[in-house]
Amino acid sequence: MKENKAIVGFSKFTKEQKIKWLQEQLDLGESPNSIFEQFESSDKESQQIIVDLSENHLSNFHFPFAVAPNFLINGKFHVLPFVTEESSVVAALAKAAGFWAKRGGFHAEVISTIKKGQLHFTWKGKPEKLKEEFNSIAKLLRTEAMAISHKMEKRGGGIQNIELKYLPEILPNYYQLDVDFDTKDAMGANFINSILEQFGKSLISYFNKQTSWSVEERDGEIIMAILSNYVPESVVKVWVECPVSDLSVSDREANNIANKFVQAVHIAKNDVSRAVTHNKGIFNGIDALALATGNDFRAIEAGGHAFAARNGKYAGLSNAEINNGIFKFELEIALAVGVVGGVTALHPMAKMAMKILENPCAEELMQYFAVAGLASNWSAVNALTTTGIQKGHMKMHLTNILNVLNATSEQKQAAKTYFVDKEVSFSDVEQFLKDDRRN
Ligand code: MEV
């Protein structure tokens, strides 16, 4: 930065002014404008949708939109769409889909779909008094939130349960309203937050109106009202299984593959350092599907990692076992997803992703998320316990290295042939190009 001071009113600048200011302050190379322009859509309508998604928009950031076919889920074939920058992820997903399609496919089941929100507040009266009053307070809260909740109720969802929690161990005079919601096909963040904010207003107004209460009792204070991304009652389960002997052509190798796989999953259950990486492999698939469908991948990740620590210690999310000669690999995960509203209904590519998925309901989409998680986890652990991960990774990474080094298409072809039976490293590829350019 040339000037070490805050800029005031940046958001009010036109796009051109913003870029000019950046150029004045930073070294953006020769012609940043042409790069910013190059990545914008030529279709005005689509471009406006992207522009409207964020403050201070300068351009679009492209990632590959890819698909993996052959996902056999509960007896039906599906194509899953993915958006990710990690070259090996979709190849790994496609490999898992093809492998398990020949062995019965993925079995998926939604266990529960309840989402949570919290109203955090303080109140200085006796806790017993609030507890006694609580049934009538809850009734009033539901009634006064009706204007917001009635449409969701018509769709069969809405507020399910309101629980009062007194938690002085966290803060003096601190309470929570812990509220359960069913948001049907919506992720429901706006619905939940609007209801909770209304609850806050109704609660304070209720306190203020209690003329028989002391002045202190009439004066509660709302700290905040917000949904929780921890959704341990919105859970989906997915598994694959097959006779151990189906894992390889030789029985000895099949047993070895199954045993090592189970050991690797057991390590992730018991060692935090390994668990985090193991779960990252799960989210390689889940996040890529979340991005493609315009779902909030940060919410899904945060909730998923909290679920991984639900027993007091962070652990791998999947389980593997061998029972009576059957290998079973399973994932149970807490997820809140939506198929209506938000970016899913807005972004043209997210809409396309939903079409590729044949416009699923939220429960079906939950199953596809879990399938994507188990599939990418299977591919990673299978590679780690057999060939090692670098073989597949570096082959995919070769293209990235060649692009970084500005290789021509002839050089790319020559490098791919040359490295087909060799270890790929950045320095070796660099040397290969130097030699090629010298010849
Ligand atoms: C890389 O993106 C993901 C892995 O590290 C996952 C794992 O270790 O299980 C390969």
Side-chain angles (χ1 to χ4, degrees), residues 104-120:
F106 294 83
H107 312 274
E109 183 187 315
V110 171
I111 293 172
S112 51
T113 55
I114 294 298
K115 291 160 191 167
K116 269 199 184 300
Q118 297 171 308
L119 180 70
H120 306 263

Side-chain angles (χ1 to χ4, degrees), residues 167-224:
L167 299 163
E169 64 276 21
I170 296 180
L171 281 175
N173 310 310
Y174 169 59
Y175 294 82
Q176 280 177 8
L177 289 188
D178 209 324
V179 190
D180 288 348
F181 295 90
D182 181 348
T183 59
K184 292 290 154 195
D185 276 341
M187 198 270 191
N190 285 331
F191 172 75
I192 294 175
N193 291 336
S194 303
I195 298 267
L196 291 169
E197 287 187 6
Q198 178 55 49
F199 276 10
K201 286 180 203 148
S202 300
L203 188 68
I204 295 300
S205 139
Y206 177 88
F207 290 155
N208 295 163
K209 281 186 200 148
Q210 304 309 305
T211 46
S212 62
W213 289 11
S214 70
V215 175
E216 212 174 42
E217 286 170 344
R218 269 184 264 150
D219 192 27
E221 193 161 20
I222 303 300
I223 301 172
M224 59 187 161

Side-chain angles (χ1 to χ4, degrees), residues 352-407:
M352 180 53 76
M354 293 304 283
K355 281 188 196 154
I356 291 170
L357 292 169
E358 299 177 86
N359 294 312
C361 66
E363 291 199 14
E364 286 165 331
L365 187 58
M366 273 173 89
Q367 296 179 9
Y368 305 158
F369 271 99
V371 166
L374 190 75
S376 58
N377 190 205
W378 176 81
S379 269
V381 175
N382 184 53
L384 287 169
T385 53
T386 55
T387 55
I389 206 76
Q390 281 312 85
K391 197 166 171 238
H393 260 215
M394 289 316 278
K395 286 281 176 281
M396 299 298 289
H397 197 46
L398 176 60
T399 311
N400 288 350
I401 298 174
L402 289 165
N403 283 336
V404 168
L405 295 171
N406 294 323

